[in-house]
Amino acid sequence: MIKPVQLPTPWRDARLTVVVPTYNEAGNLPALVERLLALPLPGLRILVADDNSPDGTGEVADKLAIEHPDRIEVVHRAGKEGLGRAYVDGMTRAIEGGAEYVAQMDADLSHPPEALPGMLGALLSTQASVVIGSRYVPGGELDENWPLYRRALSGWANLYVHTLLRVRIRDLTAGFKIWQAEALRDIDLERVQSNGYSFQVEMHYLATKLGHTILEVPIRFEERRDGVSKMTTATKVESALMPFRLRSKHRNITR
């Protein structure tokens, strides 16, 4: 586990909301929350967007919110509507709640919370619109226990999207990021239509088309600790078709 960077004031006090979509993550959420709240970021808040998880994740989140009423908010969504919809809902609420910066990360502990202070420092020092915790820049790592087929799928997906969309990001499918709230307002979350993991690609594509600065910093990507991957056949099909839809839909996008 890496040691969090100690940021100077006022950077450490920035209003940062971490949006965490959940579906059947009852075994992982308490550990993630504990690690997030231990960070030297007093302005950090957590927004859990739960898609009515049958394993009781929503109830676990509610208990954590009672224990930390000023730092955790829970959004209970009607059902499993997809990762993209959960992120759009959570990010929109975070901005409306006054967040200056919005982070997104998975609940399965594959993304190291301890990297967030360093990512925030990189964002603030460079004035980038978004900082990506990247597996595929120098210094980035994949857990040695990550299955070979997942490595191959991830590598192929990045190559495929690069070829079709010409977006200069090494980890196009990355889900660990910090955004400036102003960049999200400019992108306009209401026009983001992707529902599954292709949400990440659409957000990167829109940010690029609108001229936003995107910075990648290396992280170590861990294998999930508990539960199973949410990747389905339908998600894979959507991800394969999305680049063609994006080129058509956002061809003439402007501010």
Side-chain angles (χ1 to χ4, degrees), residues 28-152:
N28 290 318
L29 188 60
L32 175 62
V33 166
E34 180 181 4
R35 289 169 65 180
L36 283 170
L37 294 182
L39 296 176
L41 296 173
L44 182 147
R45 303 292 181 268
I46 303 168
L47 191 153
V48 178
D50 184 66
D51 276 6
N52 196 24
S53 298
D55 75 340
T57 301
E59 290 79 1
V60 171
D62 284 338
K63 291 178 181 177
L64 291 167
I66 291 172
E67 294 173 9
H68 307 279
D70 297 328
R71 303 196 69 184
I72 300 177
E73 177 184 355
V74 183
V75 177
H76 294 280
R77 292 160 47 76
K80 191 177 181 183
E81 300 176 16
L83 183 72
R85 297 303 90 205
Y87 266 130
V88 167
D89 190 356
M91 288 174 155
T92 300
R93 290 171 184 265
I95 294 171
E96 291 173 348
E100 299 173 289
Y101 308 96
V102 180
Q104 56 177 104
M105 67 186 305
D106 293 344
D108 61 8
L109 301 175
S110 58
H111 299 144
E114 293 75 20
L116 280 172
M119 291 169 64
L120 179 60
L123 184 83
L124 292 168
S125 62
T126 63
Q127 298 186 340
S129 296
V130 57
V131 169
I132 299 172
S134 177
R135 299 163 287 186
Y136 302 129
V137 294
E141 297 180 71
L142 283 171
D143 191 318
E144 54 273 8
N145 294 318
W146 217 42
L148 183 59
Y149 80 92
R150 293 282 303 278
R151 291 172 181 264

